[in-house]
Amino acid sequence: MSSRVRLVVVMDPIGTIKPAKDTTLGILLAAQARGWELFYAELKDLWLRDGIAWGRVAPLEVKDDPAGWFALGTPASAKLGGFDVILMRKDPPFDAEYIYSTYILDRAQLQGALVCNRPQGLRDMNEKVYTAWFPECCAPTLITRDMHAMGEFLREQGKAVCKPLDGMGGKSIFVLEQGDKNRNVVFETLTGYGTRYAIVQRYLPEIVTAGDCRIILVDGEPVPFALQRIPTPEDHRGNLAAGARAESRPLNERDRWLCSQIGPKMRAAGMLFVGLDVIGDYVTEINVTSPTGIRELNKKHGVDIGAMLITAIDRIVSA
């Protein structure tokens, strides 16, 4: 662009992140290296007045330094639609407050800013439920509040993974085998005795050796390496937050086919930065709210996924 791009990042408190692993910091470092002007806000700093989206934003400088990775200037109120880019990187939980913030960001987008990822997609694409739009890419999956139906699914599959629809980081993930005496209490806990929806998927044994693989899509195109999150022998969860080991591998033919089915639809929906969770041959989750994993891949393969995203965003705002 002929003028300097101005980007607002909306995120959790930047002082609490783990800078060596934080994907948002990696993206901001790439934007700053491109010469973009950065501003910082949290959810509490956004509001609507008479249909206009506002934010109390602070100038931001970032460094790849664990001893001090950011510096903030004096915050000031500004119309969000006056910025070129708003990077929505607030972590789940995906609760009512998160949904309300997407309405504010919708107005900011209508008033001139490019919001990444698009607010409507953030609302529509629950990371677990949205796999239903791609059944050909997924293992057998049931989403229900019916505990009896869950039991029938477990009998049918022999072994299953049971999860809440709003969890993250490995929270409340259960693996059950047919005949497990804990199954009823698991179903009761996840569904609140049939009052909440939960998800049950066929257990995929490839997670033990190949891990739960994160594939990053940038504007619909896959990064050529997958981050493998391999559970410890004492756990079944492929989440780094739950102690899984980080490895990596090049994408295989099946990975690329999965990306060819999902990537174009993500791009058409304005979802510029997406994380697919793949176990074996199947997608288990589609993460659009705040995908992570780029710092590990950058270090292992000498790539800069943040720069790939900034290039994609620049291409859109410069058009």
Side-chain angles (χ1 to χ4, degrees), residues 7 47 91 107 122 163 176 180 190 217 274 314:
L7 178 151
W47 73 93
D91 285 340
R107 296 299 299 168
L122 293 175
K163 300 182 282 189
L176 294 175
D180 192 320
L190 289 178
L217 298 176
V274 176
D314 196 27

Side-chain angles (χ1 to χ4, degrees), residues 206-263:
E206 293 89 346
I207 191 172
V208 176
T209 54
D212 184 345
C213 297
R214 166 60 55 84
I215 299 174
I216 298 292
L217 298 176
V218 177
D219 198 15
E221 294 295 325
V223 172
F225 305 99
L227 179 66
Q228 296 172 280
R229 299 163 297 181
I230 300 174
T232 65
E234 296 79 25
D235 209 328
H236 56 255
R237 294 171 296 175
N239 303 86
L240 299 183
R245 184 176 81 253
E247 301 289 344
S248 67
R249 61 168 177 79
L251 298 191
N252 58 40
E253 185 176 344
R254 175 68 176 181
D255 296 329
R256 293 187 181 279
W257 182 83
L258 294 171
C259 294
S260 75
Q261 302 304 299
I262 299 173

